[in-house]
Amino acid sequence: MNRIVAGNWKMHLGPQAGYDLAVALANRIPDLQGIEVVVAPPFISLAAVRQGLQGSHIKLAAQNVFWEKQGAFTGEVSAAMLREAGCQYVIIGHSERRQLFGETDVGVNRKVCAALNNGLVPIVCVGETLAERDGGETAAVLERQVTRALLALTTDDIKRLVFAYEPVWAIGTGRAANVQMAVEVAVAIRDLVKGLFPDSDSIPVLYGGSVNPENAAQFASRPEISGALVGGASLQADAFTEIVRAFYKER
Ligand code: PGA
C-alpha cells in the first residue's frame, strides 16, 4: 500500500504564491517509490498549482466539495468540477469545516459519495476534541464519525478511500498527539472499517495535527500510520519536503 503525505494549505496562498510553492515542491520532490505526495490548495489556486506541478508526480487535492452535480448553490463547487480542474483527491470533513462551517456527519457522507462517484479519492478527516478525549469519549466519537461517513458505501468504494485521524486539540497547536495514541486510533479506525466491510482490504489511515520535520520520523516509523496530513508545515517547501522524505525513509 502506498503511503500518502498530503499538504493542506487551508486558506493560504493565492494563485501566484501557490504556483511558486508548487514549482518549489516539484523541483525538490522526485518520484518516490511507494509514496504519494498530494497538495490541497484553495479552490482559487487549483489551476495555477496544477500548472506549477506539471512534470512532477505530486497530485492535486481540493479541501472541500459539494455533493450536488450543479445548480443554484452559490459558493459551492462540485466533484465533477474538481476532476476537471485536475484533482485526484479531496479532503472531506476537516474539523475546521465541522466546527466553523456547520459540517455534519450526514453532509460528510454525501460528499464522500459524490467524490467516489466522480473518481476522486476522499480523504475523510475524523477526530475528537480535547473535551471528548478528557471525557473518555474518543472511541464513541470516532465510531460515530467513521460509521456515518461510510453509510451506503460498498466494499468496492472502500478501496478508494483514505481516513485521516486528526485530533482536534492537535491541529495548529504545535501539540502533536503522541505516537502511541495515533497508532491506537489508526488501528481502531481500521478495525471499525473492517467490521463494517468484512471483505475490504485494510484502509490507509493518515495522522494529522502539528506534524513537522522534527516529529515526522516518529510517526513514519510506525507501519500502522499510512502517512500524514500536514497543515502549517506544508506551506514551506523545505519543511514539507523533509516530512515527505521521513515517510519515504521509514516506509
Ligand atoms: P496542522 O494542521 O499541521 O497545522 O496542525 C493539520 C490539518 O489541519 O490538517
Side-chain angles (χ1 to χ4, degrees):
M1 189 202 314
N2 273 359
R3 287 183 124 185
I4 300 169
V5 178
N8 174 10
W9 294 3
K10 308 194 178 182
M11 200 173 75
H12 295 284
L13 310 184
Q16 184 60 55
Y19 175 84
D20 293 344
L21 179 55
V23 170
L25 293 174
N27 287 334
R28 281 171 175 76
I29 304 177
D31 183 18
L32 298 169
Q33 202 71 41
I35 299 269
E36 187 98 324
V37 181
V38 181
V39 292
F43 288 140
I44 192 75
S45 303
L46 283 170
V49 170
R50 182 189 200 179
Q51 253 195 326
L53 293 177
Q54 252 176 25
S56 83
H57 288 81
I58 302 171
K59 308 283 192 328
L60 202 56
Q63 299 173 15
N64 188 20
V65 62
F66 188 54
W67 55 79
E68 293 289 352
K69 284 195 176 73
Q70 58 183 14
F73 302 105
T74 302
E76 296 297 324
V77 174
S78 75
M81 291 171 184
L82 294 179
R83 276 291 289 195
E84 190 181 337
C87 292
Q88 298 188 29
Y89 290 83
V90 58
I91 297 170
I92 295 177
H94 190 279
S95 67
E96 284 151 18
R97 297 225 54 89
R98 293 180 193 257
Q99 294 203 309
L100 305 173
F101 301 99
E103 187 116 305
T104 62
D105 290 325
V106 173
V108 167
N109 176 244
R110 286 188 181 156
K111 291 178 177 193
V112 167
C113 292
L116 289 167
N117 288 337
N118 286 278
L120 292 167
V121 175
I123 301 175
V124 184
C125 301
V126 293
E128 80 288 359
T129 62
L130 192 55
E132 287 162 345
R133 176 161 282 270
D134 289 345
E137 294 164 39
T138 300
V141 168
L142 289 163
E143 178 167 3
R144 190 198 75 223
Q145 291 178 341
V146 169
T147 307
R148 294 192 182 168
L150 302 183
L151 234 116
L153 299 197
T154 65
T155 300
D156 225 34
D157 292 330
I158 300 298
K159 287 187 191 140
R160 299 178 292 132
L161 191 130
V162 177
F163 272 102
Y165 168 52
E166 297 208 311
V168 177
W169 45 271
I171 295 176
T173 57
R175 182 184 160 197
N178 74 46
V179 176
Q180 197 47 39
M181 214 181 252
V183 166
E184 275 165 26
V185 176
V187 170
I189 292 172
R190 209 165 274 131
D191 288 351
L192 257 170
V193 176
K194 193 76 184 161
L196 293 166
F197 300 90
D199 296 332
S200 65
D201 298 332
S202 127
I203 56 149
V205 182
L206 317 183
Y207 169 73
S210 297
V211 175
N212 59 41
E214 287 73 48
N215 63 22
Q218 297 169 44
F219 293 105
S221 68
R222 299 302 303 260
E224 299 91 340
I225 298 176
S226 319
L229 182 54
V230 186
S234 72
L235 297 172
Q236 284 143 19
D238 287 336
F240 189 61
T241 304
E242 272 189 62
I243 294 169
V244 170
R245 289 204 174 282
F247 276 88
Y248 178 65
K249 258 202 259 166
E250 305 276 354
R251 77 196 180 288

